[in-house]
Amino acid sequence: MLEHYPLRHLDKTKVDKIVNLNYSAEYAQVAGKLTDIHTTGEKSAKRLVAYVQDGTGDMELVWFQGINWVEKTVQPGQVYLIFGKVGFFNGKVQMTHPDAHLQQVVGEVLGHLLGQRRHQHPLVGVGAFADLADQV
């Protein structure tokens, strides 16, 4: 057990800008406003497609499974912290089956765990979250 090493380390402390995502980025985390969500296709080809903007660009999010649950969970106009594997389809950046967490909830949970008020947490009020609603 002393020689057991993890396969890889995924850094979820860094928040990337959509414009900086490229083919070399395997996984990324972005903060952005969900602008649109809809289902497309029929039967086995049905998928849920959402779009997120962060002030530097926009990105497509796609779910092929759990469509009903995701559709009830995410809402347009809200700011989300999104983590997933970066891919490109038709030259546009996208994430398939990303983790999407409401920014306000992330800030409150992290602030509570660290014993800080929400606005004092480093992910809230600076960097990617700073005035995001005004930028988009």
Side-chain angles (χ1 to χ4, degrees):
M1 194 64 153
L2 292 175
E3 303 254 345
H4 185 276
Y5 300 104
L7 180 62
R8 70 178 145 252
H9 171 72
L10 301 175
D11 184 11
K12 289 188 175 183
T13 61
K14 181 182 169 197
V15 179
D16 300 299
K17 299 283 187 187
I18 293 174
V19 72
N20 295 334
L21 299 179
N22 55 43
Y23 289 95
S24 68
E26 187 175 3
Y27 288 90
Q29 180 166 251
V30 297
K33 188 179 208 178
L34 194 73
T35 58
D36 184 35
I37 186 167
H38 63 275
T39 56
T40 185
E42 295 178 10
K43 298 185 183 181
S44 63
K46 188 175 179 180
R47 63 194 178 278
L48 181 67
V49 180
Y51 296 92
V52 66
Q53 293 180 339
D54 72 350
T56 67
D58 61 335
M59 176 173 60
E60 185 177 73
L61 311 175
V62 181
W63 290 269
F64 295 98
Q65 298 175 358
I67 293 171
N68 292 336
W69 182 82
V70 175
E71 202 169 25
K72 292 175 189 173
T73 306
V74 296
Q75 302 168 1
Q78 297 291 325
V79 178
Y80 289 89
L81 186 62
I82 300 160
F83 178 82
K85 188 169 186 168
V86 177
F88 288 83
F89 183 71
N90 289 336
K92 294 178 77 176
V93 65
Q94 77 168 199
M95 286 186 185
T96 304
H97 291 279
D99 293 334
H101 301 281
L102 196 58
Q103 179 267 335
Q104 179 180 354
V105 173
V106 170
E108 288 172 0
V109 169
L110 291 175
H112 175 71
L113 291 174
L114 298 174
Q116 300 172 341
R117 283 183 263 145
R118 185 172 159 265
H119 68 274
Q120 291 177 329
H121 188 271
L123 281 179
V124 180
V126 296
F129 287 133
D131 300 323
L132 185 58
D134 296 333
Q135 293 176 15
V136 190

Short mmCIF file of all heavy atoms in Angstrom, two decimals, residues 37 48 66-75 80:
data_model
loop_
_atom_site.label_atom_id
_atom_site.label_comp_id
_atom_site.label_asym_id
_atom_site.label_seq_id
_atom_site.Cartn_x
_atom_site.Cartn_y
_atom_site.Cartn_z
N ILE A 37 -30.77 26.04 -22.94
CA ILE A 37 -30.80 24.59 -22.74
C ILE A 37 -31.98 24.02 -23.51
O ILE A 37 -33.07 24.59 -23.49
CB ILE A 37 -30.86 24.23 -21.24
CG1 ILE A 37 -30.73 22.73 -21.05
CG2 ILE A 37 -32.09 24.77 -20.58
CD1 ILE A 37 -30.49 22.31 -19.61
N LEU A 48 -29.35 16.28 -24.51
CA LEU A 48 -29.61 17.60 -23.92
C LEU A 48 -28.41 18.48 -24.23
O LEU A 48 -27.27 18.09 -23.96
CB LEU A 48 -29.81 17.48 -22.41
CG LEU A 48 -30.11 18.76 -21.66
CD1 LEU A 48 -31.47 19.31 -22.05
CD2 LEU A 48 -30.07 18.52 -20.16
N GLY A 66 -29.29 10.65 -18.47
CA GLY A 66 -29.76 11.43 -17.33
C GLY A 66 -30.36 12.76 -17.73
O GLY A 66 -30.34 13.72 -16.98
N ILE A 67 -30.91 12.80 -18.93
CA ILE A 67 -31.41 14.05 -19.49
C ILE A 67 -32.49 14.68 -18.61
O ILE A 67 -32.44 15.88 -18.34
CB ILE A 67 -31.94 13.81 -20.93
CG1 ILE A 67 -30.76 13.46 -21.85
CG2 ILE A 67 -32.68 15.02 -21.45
CD1 ILE A 67 -31.17 13.01 -23.23
N ASN A 68 -33.46 13.89 -18.15
CA ASN A 68 -34.55 14.44 -17.34
C ASN A 68 -34.03 15.06 -16.05
O ASN A 68 -34.45 16.14 -15.64
CB ASN A 68 -35.59 13.37 -17.03
CG ASN A 68 -36.34 12.93 -18.26
OD1 ASN A 68 -36.43 13.67 -19.23
ND2 ASN A 68 -36.86 11.72 -18.24
N TRP A 69 -33.09 14.39 -15.39
CA TRP A 69 -32.54 14.91 -14.13
C TRP A 69 -31.75 16.19 -14.36
O TRP A 69 -31.91 17.17 -13.64
CB TRP A 69 -31.65 13.84 -13.46
CG TRP A 69 -31.12 14.31 -12.17
CD1 TRP A 69 -31.75 14.28 -10.96
CD2 TRP A 69 -29.83 14.90 -11.93
NE1 TRP A 69 -30.94 14.82 -9.98
CE2 TRP A 69 -29.76 15.22 -10.56
CE3 TRP A 69 -28.74 15.20 -12.74
CZ2 TRP A 69 -28.64 15.80 -9.98
CZ3 TRP A 69 -27.64 15.79 -12.16
CH2 TRP A 69 -27.60 16.08 -10.81
N VAL A 70 -30.89 16.20 -15.38
CA VAL A 70 -30.08 17.38 -15.66
C VAL A 70 -30.98 18.56 -16.04
O VAL A 70 -30.78 19.68 -15.58
CB VAL A 70 -29.06 17.11 -16.79
CG1 VAL A 70 -28.32 18.38 -17.17
CG2 VAL A 70 -28.08 16.03 -16.36
N GLU A 71 -32.01 18.29 -16.84
CA GLU A 71 -32.93 19.34 -17.27
C GLU A 71 -33.63 20.00 -16.08
O GLU A 71 -33.87 21.20 -16.07
CB GLU A 71 -33.95 18.76 -18.24
CG GLU A 71 -34.59 19.76 -19.14
CD GLU A 71 -35.38 19.08 -20.25
OE1 GLU A 71 -35.81 17.92 -20.09
OE2 GLU A 71 -35.56 19.72 -21.29
N LYS A 72 -33.95 19.22 -15.06
CA LYS A 72 -34.59 19.76 -13.86
C LYS A 72 -33.59 20.49 -12.96
O LYS A 72 -33.96 21.37 -12.19
CB LYS A 72 -35.25 18.64 -13.05
CG LYS A 72 -36.43 18.02 -13.74
CD LYS A 72 -36.95 16.84 -12.93
CE LYS A 72 -37.99 16.06 -13.72
NZ LYS A 72 -38.39 14.83 -13.02
N THR A 73 -32.33 20.12 -13.05
CA THR A 73 -31.30 20.64 -12.15
C THR A 73 -30.71 21.96 -12.61
O THR A 73 -30.47 22.85 -11.80
CB THR A 73 -30.16 19.60 -12.01
OG1 THR A 73 -30.72 18.35 -11.60
CG2 THR A 73 -29.14 20.05 -11.00
N VAL A 74 -30.44 22.11 -13.89
CA VAL A 74 -29.80 23.33 -14.39
C VAL A 74 -30.84 24.29 -14.95
O VAL A 74 -31.84 23.86 -15.53
CB VAL A 74 -28.71 23.03 -15.45
CG1 VAL A 74 -27.57 22.24 -14.84
CG2 VAL A 74 -29.27 22.30 -16.64
N GLN A 75 -30.60 25.59 -14.75
CA GLN A 75 -31.54 26.61 -15.19
C GLN A 75 -30.83 27.72 -15.94
O GLN A 75 -29.80 28.22 -15.46
CB GLN A 75 -32.24 27.22 -13.98
CG GLN A 75 -32.98 26.23 -13.12
CD GLN A 75 -33.40 26.84 -11.80
OE1 GLN A 75 -33.16 28.01 -11.54
NE2 GLN A 75 -34.04 26.04 -10.97
N TYR A 80 -22.80 28.89 -13.18
CA TYR A 80 -22.37 27.55 -12.77
C TYR A 80 -20.86 27.41 -12.81
O TYR A 80 -20.19 28.04 -13.62
CB TYR A 80 -22.99 26.48 -13.68
CG TYR A 80 -24.46 26.31 -13.48
CD1 TYR A 80 -25.37 27.07 -14.20
CD2 TYR A 80 -24.95 25.40 -12.56
CE1 TYR A 80 -26.74 26.93 -14.02
CE2 TYR A 80 -26.32 25.25 -12.36
CZ TYR A 80 -27.20 26.01 -13.09
OH TYR A 80 -28.55 25.87 -12.90
#
